[in-house]
Amino acid sequence: MSSRPPLLEVTDLKKHYPIKRGLLRRTAGHVLAVDGVSFSIGDGETLAIVGESGCGKSTVARAVMRLIEPTSGTVKLEGRDITKLGKTDMRPYRRQMQIVFQDPFAALNPRMRVGDSIGEILKIHGLGNKREREARVAELFQQVGLNPGQIRNYPHQFSGGQRQRVCIARALSVRPKLIIGDEPVSALDVSIQAQVINLLMDLQQQNGLSYLFIAHDLAVVEHISHRIAVMYLGRIVEFADKHTLFANPRHPYTQALLAAVPVPDPTIRRAKQVLQGDVPSPVKPPPGCPFHPRCPSVMPHCKVDVPRQRMVGAGHAVACHLYDEQLPAAAPSI
Ligand code: SF4
């Protein structure tokens, strides 16, 4: 009996940017923006990728969408390897994956009425005649909680939260299976963030959508995600379902990120653990464990040996030498 492949399967994805120097533009090194990332997303599932700025999470989002070409690795959509597809062959897969960016103002053409921005996507994909497209735009406006009377407005006539709703409507317009949110609520006020996250969750229920949700803050993804991958300097250092990750974080970096998440209950105290220093440069990552210069539990061999991902529980993988003994290595795509 053949089992259905996951909606999205990413295996050993790498994106290395060459650094060119001198008159002859010789390659003097590489920025290891993403350095061997693997994960999968099932139907109706939300996977969050979390990490500080510069960890490579947005590069993963763009490489999955093929907005940038990966250096190596594979991206499979419903079992089909789309990594090397040309523009024309890629078109039906593009329709199945849509992206919502952090800055809705930059994502919308300021000189185009928002209804036309959405209608244009439908036209590009050959969906419906003019009247059908107008009806679909009105339906989408209602779905994302906007007044269809605003369809002829320009982007500047909306608030930040409303503009992000327009971008979500545009992403939904072609009925995708996967929406990639690249920090989709980071630029919004906290109260608006909650509204947009609730909207995304409602839309997931109504449309059976899957999400790849990129964020720099664990607090933002706590509500929306099913599973969470924590990234540091181009690699996934911990991977678990949401409840396990919040209840029992194992990697010192995840523990530090979690310590920064405010707890709404004043009777619960989290150990204070402030992250020292910045993320090191991906041009020259530290040898061994890339987190070792900032790690409170660093051991001598952490500065030499790169830790492999190991299973510390069901579906819970960690790349840290603290868990080297007696634990099996994790499967390449969790
Ligand atoms: Fe810290 Fe060592 Fe684990 Fe890296 S491998 S996170 S330095 S204990």
Side-chain angles (χ1 to χ4, degrees):
M1 209 173 70
S2 67
S3 62
R4 232 172 115 228
L7 176 66
L8 180 75
E9 191 171 15
V10 174
T11 308
D12 203 20
L13 188 74
K14 294 184 183 174
K15 181 63 190 176
H16 297 173
Y17 292 98
I19 304 164
K20 303 280 184 190
R21 290 229 173 92
L23 270 179
L24 298 175
R25 310 298 296 152
R26 287 216 171 95
T27 303
H30 285 89
V31 178
L32 310 184
V34 177
D35 198 25
V37 162
S38 302
F39 60 85
S40 62
I41 302 179
D43 293 326
E45 188 187 25
T46 301
L47 172 75
I49 299 186
V50 178
E52 288 165 286
S53 117
C55 74
K57 54 195 189 304
S58 291
T59 308
V60 171
R62 284 167 169 75
V64 167
M65 286 290 294
R66 297 272 318 278
L67 298 177
I68 54 172
E69 291 304 318
T71 305
S72 63
T74 57
V75 177
K76 289 183 182 172
L77 198 63
E78 293 187 312
R80 171 82 198 265
D81 186 351
I82 61 165
T83 330
K84 300 264 177 327
L85 291 184
K87 218 173 171 181
T88 314
D89 291 337
M90 188 64 201
R91 188 168 285 173
Y93 297 97
R94 269 204 202 294
R95 192 176 144 188
Q96 289 187 34
M97 296 189 289
Q98 293 292 310
I99 190 162
V100 176
F101 292 104
Q102 177 177 354
D103 182 357
F105 206 45
L108 294 166
N109 182 341
R111 285 187 288 274
M112 201 180 235
R113 298 178 198 276
V114 294
D116 293 340
S117 282
I118 300 171
E120 192 186 36
I121 306 280
L122 295 169
K123 200 172 172 186
I124 288 169
H125 288 278
L127 299 171
N129 57 32
K130 193 164 182 288
R131 187 173 300 176
E132 286 164 343
R133 288 198 297 269
E134 280 170 4
R136 175 80 178 129
V137 173
E139 181 196 6
L140 285 161
F141 254 59
Q142 261 166 348
Q143 248 191 316
V144 300
L146 288 171
N147 177 0
Q150 294 175 295
I151 280 173
R152 292 183 59 75
N153 286 6
Y154 288 94
H156 72 269
Q157 294 175 289
F158 292 87
S159 68
Q162 286 175 327
R163 272 196 291 272
Q164 198 56 302
R165 285 173 190 263
V166 171
C167 291
I168 293 168
R170 193 173 60 170
L172 279 178
S173 63
V174 291
R175 304 187 196 278
K177 291 185 175 167
L178 174 71
I179 290 187
I180 298 179
D182 186 7
E183 304 246 17
V185 297
S186 303
L188 306 176
D189 291 346
V190 175
S191 58
I192 310 294
Q193 282 186 358
Q195 288 174 16
V196 172
I197 284 182
N198 285 336
L199 169 69
L200 287 169
M201 291 174 74
D202 289 346
L203 293 171
Q204 182 170 49
Q205 284 235 314
Q206 290 159 17
N207 301 289
L209 289 164
S210 301
Y211 292 134
L212 174 59
F213 196 99
I214 310 287
H216 60 265
D217 186 347
L218 271 168
V220 167
V221 302
E222 184 172 8
H223 199 44
I224 194 170
S225 60
H226 297 109
R227 290 186 300 147
I228 300 174
V230 179
M231 257 186 100
Y232 189 79
L233 218 58
R235 295 180 194 158
I236 291 176
V237 296
E238 184 156 9
F239 205 125
D241 69 77
K242 167 177 71 178
H243 302 292
T244 304
L245 195 99
F246 274 82
N248 189 19
R250 304 296 285 271
H251 196 284
Y253 179 58
T254 315
Q255 289 166 355
L257 286 183
L258 207 53
V261 174
V263 187
D265 184 345
T267 61
I268 300 174
R269 293 176 74 93
R270 272 197 186 128
K272 264 274 170 271
Q273 194 179 336
V274 180
L275 264 177
Q276 303 289 338
D278 295 324
V279 181
S281 164
V283 177
K284 208 171 172 217
C289 170
F291 187 58
H292 85 250
R294 305 171 78 191
C295 180
S297 312
V298 61
M299 301 172 284
H301 64 290
C302 299
K303 300 176 182 175
V304 185
D305 300 328
V306 178
R308 291 177 63 193
Q309 266 194 11
R310 298 194 176 267
M311 301 307 295
V312 294
H316 188 177
V318 183
C320 171
H321 288 308
L322 291 171
Y323 310 99
D324 272 355
E325 285 162 28
Q326 89 270 346
L327 295 166
S333 184
I334 304 163

